[in-house]
Amino acid sequence: MPALSPVLDHVVIDVRDRIDEAMRRFSALGFQLTPRGRHTLGSVNHLAMFATDYLELLGFGESGAARLEIARFPAGLNGLVFKTTDADLVHRHAQAAALPVLPVQAFSRPVALDGATRDARFRTTRLDPDKITIGRVYFCEHQTPDLVWRPEWQAHPNGASAISRVVVATHDPQRTAELFRDLFGSDAVADRDGRQVMTAGPAQVELAPPDIVAAEFGEDAAGPAGRADYMAALGIRVRSLDEAAQRLRAVPGVRSEPQRLVVPAAAAFNTTIVFSE
């Protein structure tokens, strides 16, 4: 069976029972967030929509309902999601590759637009997070993309336009890369300066040993929170670093470096965020 195509759809930052706080923090970082979504699965979210991908803040339902698949994860960047137009095809491919794949899942959330409410509908194919060490890796089939990518939600005060990097800390990058080679083909991942790097549409997914991640981000790095391997940092492309710096000037701990701004993990739910042009 031919390999799938590695194109990033979105990333997920789990905020557990702190969705209100997360909304405030990421708004302060200059993201325009969508109105609160309520999934039929019981979770709630806010999205920061970009041109072709997005950042999802995912929390427990206001009633305290917690999806079992996210309840096991600490606050932080725990979801790496790729695009697909056919969740069943992904499932067949993963089975053929002997990967630990779960049944295709269908769910929705209501979206209020122009005085009417419609259901944004999704189908996902998930790898079993109990058997994938780096977090939740899955594919999303958008059945109603017009209810997700809306121009009015894509204009951010910080000038954000795309996800540029996802950095994963893993003690064995070569072994972790085999997952993506099984999914996307043997040439999907390349060795680069001690990292395993995969191009996923406009973004790069980087697998790096924890010491390399710590060396890059220092005290701004995300903590493992009991995890051996974990998603650690997120790169966001912005229109202008100067404009982004002005927007972030009131956020404690933001560090200005040549050609980038670094938001410490402590300010973004245990996720280091790097803004660059």
Side-chain angles (χ1 to χ4, degrees):
M1 183 177 296
L4 305 171
S5 177
V7 180
L8 187 68
D9 187 76
H10 67 280
V11 295
V12 183
I13 296 179
D14 287 319
V15 302
R16 299 183 63 80
D17 58 352
R18 299 159 62 193
I19 190 70
D20 291 332
E21 179 188 351
M23 179 181 63
R24 291 191 296 269
R25 283 202 191 188
F26 280 80
S27 294
L29 291 173
F31 294 106
Q32 176 177 254
L33 300 175
T34 59
R36 183 160 303 177
R38 293 171 173 82
H39 297 127
T40 52
L41 298 173
S43 49
V44 297
N45 71 359
H46 289 281
L47 311 178
M49 300 302 308
F50 309 127
T52 62
D53 48 36
Y54 61 93
L55 164 63
E56 178 178 17
L57 305 176
L58 183 66
F60 301 158
E62 287 108 334
S63 63
R67 285 166 56 185
L68 293 179
E69 64 185 304
I70 65 173
R72 56 164 290 191
F73 289 100
L77 183 62
N78 294 311
L80 181 62
V81 190
F82 297 96
K83 292 184 183 294
T84 183
T85 57
D86 189 338
D88 296 306
L89 173 67
V90 175
H91 190 273
R92 292 193 297 272
H93 177 87
Q95 281 190 317
L99 292 171
V101 64
L102 299 175
V104 174
Q105 184 178 58
F107 62 100
S108 65
R109 59 176 172 82
V111 178
L113 288 172
D114 302 324
T117 299
R118 297 168 59 193
D119 284 335
R121 293 180 287 110
F122 314 89
R123 299 177 78 240
T124 57
T125 301
R126 302 154 294 147
L127 299 181
D128 187 345
D130 288 332
K131 298 175 181 176
I132 302 297
T133 62
I134 63 174
R136 296 172 64 225
V137 177
Y138 61 102
F139 291 75
C140 185
E141 174 189 336
H142 288 268
Q143 297 184 294
T144 52
D146 59 307
L147 299 180
V148 179
W149 277 273
R150 307 281 305 177
E152 62 267 32
W153 295 333
Q154 292 173 299
H156 299 277
N158 60 19
S161 62
I163 296 170
S164 59
R165 300 173 71 195
V166 181
V167 180
V168 180
T170 171
H171 285 83
D172 192 341
Q174 288 276 2
R175 182 175 180 179
T176 303
E178 288 306 309
L179 166 67
F180 298 108
R181 292 192 173 101
D182 287 344
L183 283 170
F184 302 118
S186 59
D187 296 332
V189 187
D191 183 69
R192 191 178 304 165
D193 299 325
R195 303 174 188 239
Q196 295 292 304
V197 180
M198 179 177 69
T199 298
Q204 287 192 338
V205 177
E206 303 173 15
L207 311 174
D211 60 334
I212 288 183
V213 176
E216 178 177 357
F217 299 117
E219 63 183 13
D220 297 328
R227 300 163 295 176
D229 298 338
Y230 56 97
M231 301 177 195
L234 182 62
I236 300 290
R237 187 168 293 111
V238 295
R239 178 179 57 248
S240 163
L241 269 182
D242 289 340
E243 291 177 11
Q246 285 296 314
R247 186 63 181 79
L248 297 172
R249 64 185 183 277
V251 177
V254 174
R255 188 171 76 246
S256 180
E257 297 181 349
Q259 301 185 330
R260 69 181 197 174
L261 296 168
V262 180
V263 177
F269 277 78
N270 200 35
T271 304
T272 306
I273 297 180
V274 180
F275 293 101
S276 62
E277 291 183 6

